[in-house]
mmCIF file of all heavy atoms in Angstrom:
data_model
loop_
_atom_site.group_PDB
_atom_site.id
_atom_site.type_symbol
_atom_site.label_atom_id
_atom_site.label_comp_id
_atom_site.label_asym_id
_atom_site.label_seq_id
_atom_site.Cartn_x
_atom_site.Cartn_y
_atom_site.Cartn_z
ATOM 1 N N GLU A 27 2.917 -4.484 2.603
ATOM 2 C CA GLU A 27 1.665 -4.401 3.364
ATOM 3 C C GLU A 27 1.390 -5.487 4.409
ATOM 4 O O GLU A 27 1.269 -5.054 5.529
ATOM 5 C CB GLU A 27 0.483 -4.333 2.333
ATOM 6 C CG GLU A 27 0.465 -3.221 1.500
ATOM 7 C CD GLU A 27 0.156 -1.987 2.133
ATOM 8 O OE1 GLU A 27 -0.604 -1.885 3.076
ATOM 9 O OE2 GLU A 27 0.672 -0.875 1.660
ATOM 10 N N ASP A 28 1.456 -6.651 3.937
ATOM 11 C CA ASP A 28 1.275 -7.771 4.980
ATOM 12 C C ASP A 28 2.415 -8.493 5.282
ATOM 13 O O ASP A 28 2.361 -9.474 6.167
ATOM 14 C CB ASP A 28 0.073 -8.811 4.378
ATOM 15 C CG ASP A 28 0.572 -9.488 3.235
ATOM 16 O OD1 ASP A 28 1.725 -9.446 2.761
ATOM 17 O OD2 ASP A 28 -0.272 -10.415 2.642
ATOM 18 N N GLY A 29 3.556 -8.236 4.716
ATOM 19 C CA GLY A 29 4.932 -8.978 5.149
ATOM 20 C C GLY A 29 5.186 -10.347 4.506
ATOM 21 O O GLY A 29 6.168 -10.875 4.618
ATOM 22 N N ALA A 30 4.112 -10.913 3.683
ATOM 23 C CA ALA A 30 4.376 -12.134 3.183
ATOM 24 C C ALA A 30 5.274 -12.241 2.007
ATOM 25 O O ALA A 30 5.312 -11.231 1.132
ATOM 26 C CB ALA A 30 2.890 -12.692 2.716
ATOM 27 N N MET A 31 6.010 -13.328 1.842
ATOM 28 C CA MET A 31 6.926 -13.431 0.696
ATOM 29 C C MET A 31 6.314 -13.388 -0.551
ATOM 30 O O MET A 31 5.101 -14.134 -0.765
ATOM 31 C CB MET A 31 7.660 -14.733 0.859
ATOM 32 C CG MET A 31 8.560 -15.076 -0.282
ATOM 33 S SD MET A 31 9.274 -16.664 -0.122
ATOM 34 C CE MET A 31 10.641 -16.337 1.002
ATOM 35 N N LYS A 32 6.785 -12.732 -1.580
ATOM 36 C CA LYS A 32 6.192 -12.805 -2.963
ATOM 37 C C LYS A 32 6.903 -13.913 -3.670
ATOM 38 O O LYS A 32 8.143 -14.082 -3.639
ATOM 39 C CB LYS A 32 6.495 -11.504 -3.623
ATOM 40 C CG LYS A 32 5.715 -10.291 -3.131
ATOM 41 C CD LYS A 32 4.167 -10.328 -3.379
ATOM 42 C CE LYS A 32 3.530 -9.058 -3.133
ATOM 43 N NZ LYS A 32 2.128 -9.193 -3.399
ATOM 44 N N TYR A 33 6.170 -14.637 -4.476
ATOM 45 C CA TYR A 33 6.670 -15.682 -5.183
ATOM 46 C C TYR A 33 5.770 -15.992 -6.513
ATOM 47 O O TYR A 33 4.682 -15.556 -6.509
ATOM 48 C CB TYR A 33 6.959 -17.089 -4.623
ATOM 49 C CG TYR A 33 5.843 -17.590 -3.713
ATOM 50 C CD1 TYR A 33 4.804 -18.272 -4.302
ATOM 51 C CD2 TYR A 33 5.724 -17.204 -2.334
ATOM 52 C CE1 TYR A 33 3.775 -18.909 -3.584
ATOM 53 C CE2 TYR A 33 4.665 -17.828 -1.612
ATOM 54 C CZ TYR A 33 3.710 -18.438 -2.289
ATOM 55 O OH TYR A 33 2.618 -19.020 -1.554
ATOM 56 N N GLY A 34 6.346 -16.516 -7.510
ATOM 57 C CA GLY A 34 5.670 -16.586 -8.732
ATOM 58 C C GLY A 34 5.683 -15.240 -9.584
ATOM 59 O O GLY A 34 6.628 -14.359 -9.254
ATOM 60 N N LYS A 35 4.882 -14.978 -10.541
ATOM 61 C CA LYS A 35 4.978 -13.904 -11.384
ATOM 62 C C LYS A 35 4.064 -12.795 -10.554
ATOM 63 O O LYS A 35 2.815 -12.913 -10.307
ATOM 64 C CB LYS A 35 4.325 -13.953 -12.699
ATOM 65 C CG LYS A 35 4.286 -12.910 -13.660
ATOM 66 C CD LYS A 35 3.727 -13.255 -14.952
ATOM 67 C CE LYS A 35 3.822 -12.055 -15.975
ATOM 68 N NZ LYS A 35 3.263 -12.458 -17.168
ATOM 69 N N VAL A 36 4.585 -11.572 -10.142
ATOM 70 C CA VAL A 36 3.997 -10.583 -9.372
ATOM 71 C C VAL A 36 4.256 -9.213 -10.098
ATOM 72 O O VAL A 36 5.267 -9.061 -10.631
ATOM 73 C CB VAL A 36 4.311 -10.597 -7.919
ATOM 74 C CG1 VAL A 36 4.014 -12.006 -7.318
ATOM 75 C CG2 VAL A 36 5.810 -10.445 -7.741
ATOM 76 N N LYS A 37 3.442 -8.258 -9.773
ATOM 77 C CA LYS A 37 3.491 -6.944 -10.094
ATOM 78 C C LYS A 37 3.785 -6.084 -8.822
ATOM 79 O O LYS A 37 3.161 -6.144 -7.975
ATOM 80 C CB LYS A 37 2.356 -6.289 -10.822
ATOM 81 C CG LYS A 37 2.551 -5.143 -11.522
ATOM 82 C CD LYS A 37 1.337 -4.780 -12.514
ATOM 83 C CE LYS A 37 1.718 -3.574 -13.239
ATOM 84 N NZ LYS A 37 0.673 -3.180 -14.385
ATOM 85 N N ILE A 38 4.890 -5.413 -8.877
ATOM 86 C CA ILE A 38 5.270 -4.646 -7.702
ATOM 87 C C ILE A 38 5.286 -3.062 -8.043
ATOM 88 O O ILE A 38 5.881 -2.729 -9.098
ATOM 89 C CB ILE A 38 6.786 -5.061 -7.273
ATOM 90 C CG1 ILE A 38 6.708 -6.413 -6.833
ATOM 91 C CG2 ILE A 38 7.099 -4.121 -6.086
ATOM 92 C CD1 ILE A 38 8.065 -6.900 -6.309
ATOM 93 N N GLU A 39 4.518 -2.337 -7.131
ATOM 94 C CA GLU A 39 4.430 -0.896 -7.382
ATOM 95 C C GLU A 39 4.742 -0.279 -6.074
ATOM 96 O O GLU A 39 4.356 -0.623 -4.887
ATOM 97 C CB GLU A 39 3.183 -0.481 -7.914
ATOM 98 C CG GLU A 39 2.708 -1.103 -9.331
ATOM 99 C CD GLU A 39 1.308 -0.720 -9.714
ATOM 100 O OE1 GLU A 39 0.571 -0.273 -8.922
ATOM 101 O OE2 GLU A 39 1.141 -0.700 -11.037
ATOM 102 N N ASP A 40 5.225 1.003 -6.195
ATOM 103 C CA ASP A 40 5.636 1.887 -4.953
ATOM 104 C C ASP A 40 6.311 1.159 -3.928
ATOM 105 O O ASP A 40 6.241 1.398 -2.738
ATOM 106 C CB ASP A 40 4.146 2.256 -4.471
ATOM 107 C CG ASP A 40 3.358 3.073 -5.401
ATOM 108 O OD1 ASP A 40 3.861 3.914 -6.151
ATOM 109 O OD2 ASP A 40 2.105 2.913 -5.339
ATOM 110 N N ALA A 41 7.323 0.326 -4.305
ATOM 111 C CA ALA A 41 8.222 -0.310 -3.341
ATOM 112 C C ALA A 41 9.432 0.658 -3.205
ATOM 113 O O ALA A 41 9.833 1.407 -4.037
ATOM 114 C CB ALA A 41 8.639 -1.595 -3.921
ATOM 115 N N ASP A 42 9.897 0.558 -1.858
ATOM 116 C CA ASP A 42 11.100 1.457 -1.523
ATOM 117 C C ASP A 42 12.362 1.050 -2.224
ATOM 118 O O ASP A 42 13.317 1.789 -2.501
ATOM 119 C CB ASP A 42 11.255 1.456 -0.074
ATOM 120 C CG ASP A 42 10.152 2.154 0.706
ATOM 121 O OD1 ASP A 42 9.449 3.050 0.050
ATOM 122 O OD2 ASP A 42 9.962 1.873 1.786
ATOM 123 N N ASP A 43 12.549 -0.237 -2.562
ATOM 124 C CA ASP A 43 13.808 -0.789 -2.868
ATOM 125 C C ASP A 43 13.700 -1.548 -4.197
ATOM 126 O O ASP A 43 14.770 -2.212 -4.688
ATOM 127 C CB ASP A 43 14.436 -1.673 -1.868
ATOM 128 C CG ASP A 43 13.337 -2.448 -1.193
ATOM 129 O OD1 ASP A 43 12.231 -2.662 -1.719
ATOM 130 O OD2 ASP A 43 13.639 -3.068 -0.015
ATOM 131 N N LEU A 44 12.622 -1.504 -4.943
ATOM 132 C CA LEU A 44 12.427 -2.087 -6.221
ATOM 133 C C LEU A 44 11.711 -1.221 -7.267
ATOM 134 O O LEU A 44 10.802 -0.486 -6.761
ATOM 135 C CB LEU A 44 11.682 -3.478 -6.147
ATOM 136 C CG LEU A 44 12.490 -4.600 -5.558
ATOM 137 C CD1 LEU A 44 11.523 -5.824 -5.645
ATOM 138 C CD2 LEU A 44 13.691 -4.974 -6.342
ATOM 139 N N ASP A 45 12.173 -1.116 -8.452
ATOM 140 C CA ASP A 45 11.319 -0.397 -9.504
ATOM 141 C C ASP A 45 10.042 -0.953 -9.765
ATOM 142 O O ASP A 45 9.785 -2.218 -9.575
ATOM 143 C CB ASP A 45 12.193 -0.286 -10.830
ATOM 144 C CG ASP A 45 13.495 0.433 -10.795
ATOM 145 O OD1 ASP A 45 13.562 1.320 -9.803
ATOM 146 O OD2 ASP A 45 14.527 0.044 -11.362
ATOM 147 N N ASP A 46 9.052 -0.086 -10.155
ATOM 148 C CA ASP A 46 7.837 -0.644 -10.461
ATOM 149 C C ASP A 46 8.014 -1.552 -11.737
ATOM 150 O O ASP A 46 8.690 -1.311 -12.626
ATOM 151 C CB ASP A 46 6.924 0.512 -10.882
ATOM 152 C CG ASP A 46 6.502 1.467 -9.650
ATOM 153 O OD1 ASP A 46 6.797 1.106 -8.544
ATOM 154 O OD2 ASP A 46 5.774 2.433 -9.856
ATOM 155 N N GLY A 47 7.161 -2.532 -11.599
ATOM 156 C CA GLY A 47 7.237 -3.539 -12.821
ATOM 157 C C GLY A 47 6.815 -4.824 -12.402
ATOM 158 O O GLY A 47 6.368 -5.163 -11.410
ATOM 159 N N THR A 48 7.002 -5.805 -13.381
ATOM 160 C CA THR A 48 6.809 -7.268 -13.249
ATOM 161 C C THR A 48 7.955 -8.095 -12.833
ATOM 162 O O THR A 48 9.066 -7.792 -13.324
ATOM 163 C CB THR A 48 6.144 -7.911 -14.568
ATOM 164 O OG1 THR A 48 4.926 -7.078 -14.872
ATOM 165 C CG2 THR A 48 5.763 -9.323 -14.303
ATOM 166 N N TYR A 49 7.758 -8.994 -11.916
ATOM 167 C CA TYR A 49 8.869 -9.761 -11.391
ATOM 168 C C TYR A 49 8.490 -11.159 -11.297
ATOM 169 O O TYR A 49 7.285 -11.463 -11.277
ATOM 170 C CB TYR A 49 9.267 -9.273 -10.082
ATOM 171 C CG TYR A 49 9.899 -7.895 -9.936
ATOM 172 C CD1 TYR A 49 9.166 -6.789 -10.012
ATOM 173 C CD2 TYR A 49 11.206 -7.722 -9.925
ATOM 174 C CE1 TYR A 49 9.771 -5.461 -9.996
ATOM 175 C CE2 TYR A 49 11.822 -6.437 -9.861
ATOM 176 C CZ TYR A 49 11.069 -5.410 -9.968
ATOM 177 O OH TYR A 49 11.611 -4.088 -9.872
ATOM 178 N N TYR A 50 9.481 -12.030 -11.361
ATOM 179 C CA TYR A 50 9.217 -13.413 -11.108
ATOM 180 C C TYR A 50 10.206 -13.964 -10.021
ATOM 181 O O TYR A 50 11.451 -13.782 -10.117
ATOM 182 C CB TYR A 50 9.338 -14.285 -12.334
ATOM 183 C CG TYR A 50 9.152 -15.748 -12.145
ATOM 184 C CD1 TYR A 50 7.826 -16.248 -11.995
ATOM 185 C CD2 TYR A 50 10.250 -16.694 -12.019
ATOM 186 C CE1 TYR A 50 7.501 -17.415 -11.879
ATOM 187 C CE2 TYR A 50 9.946 -18.029 -11.831
ATOM 188 C CZ TYR A 50 8.599 -18.415 -11.695
ATOM 189 O OH TYR A 50 8.288 -19.804 -11.404
ATOM 190 N N PHE A 51 9.625 -14.673 -9.014
ATOM 191 C CA PHE A 51 10.349 -15.275 -7.956
ATOM 192 C C PHE A 51 9.977 -16.728 -7.988
ATOM 193 O O PHE A 51 8.877 -17.125 -8.196
ATOM 194 C CB PHE A 51 10.067 -14.743 -6.540
ATOM 195 C CG PHE A 51 10.229 -13.199 -6.567
ATOM 196 C CD1 PHE A 51 9.301 -12.232 -6.882
ATOM 197 C CD2 PHE A 51 11.446 -12.758 -6.247
ATOM 198 C CE1 PHE A 51 9.469 -10.891 -6.731
ATOM 199 C CE2 PHE A 51 11.812 -11.244 -6.145
ATOM 200 C CZ PHE A 51 10.732 -10.400 -6.480
ATOM 201 N N VAL A 52 11.110 -17.514 -7.836
ATOM 202 C CA VAL A 52 10.811 -19.053 -7.919
ATOM 203 C C VAL A 52 9.756 -19.444 -7.085
ATOM 204 O O VAL A 52 9.459 -19.117 -5.901
ATOM 205 C CB VAL A 52 12.134 -19.831 -7.349
ATOM 206 C CG1 VAL A 52 11.927 -21.240 -7.308
ATOM 207 C CG2 VAL A 52 13.386 -19.290 -8.337
#
């Protein structure tokens, strides 16, 4: 949506290249 980097614990949905779910980025 806004192009900003995701970091920390995030929930991703409806992404073209990642499965829906919870992720953690440093």
Side-chain angles (χ1 to χ4, degrees):
E27 294 294 327
D28 67 4
M31 173 186 282
K32 292 291 190 180
Y33 49 85
K35 185 178 180 181
V36 296
K37 195 168 185 177
I38 297 177
E39 295 179 340
D40 300 323
D42 292 334
D43 38 17
L44 287 178
D45 295 331
D46 291 354
T48 301
Y49 292 80
Y50 181 77
F51 302 95
V52 175

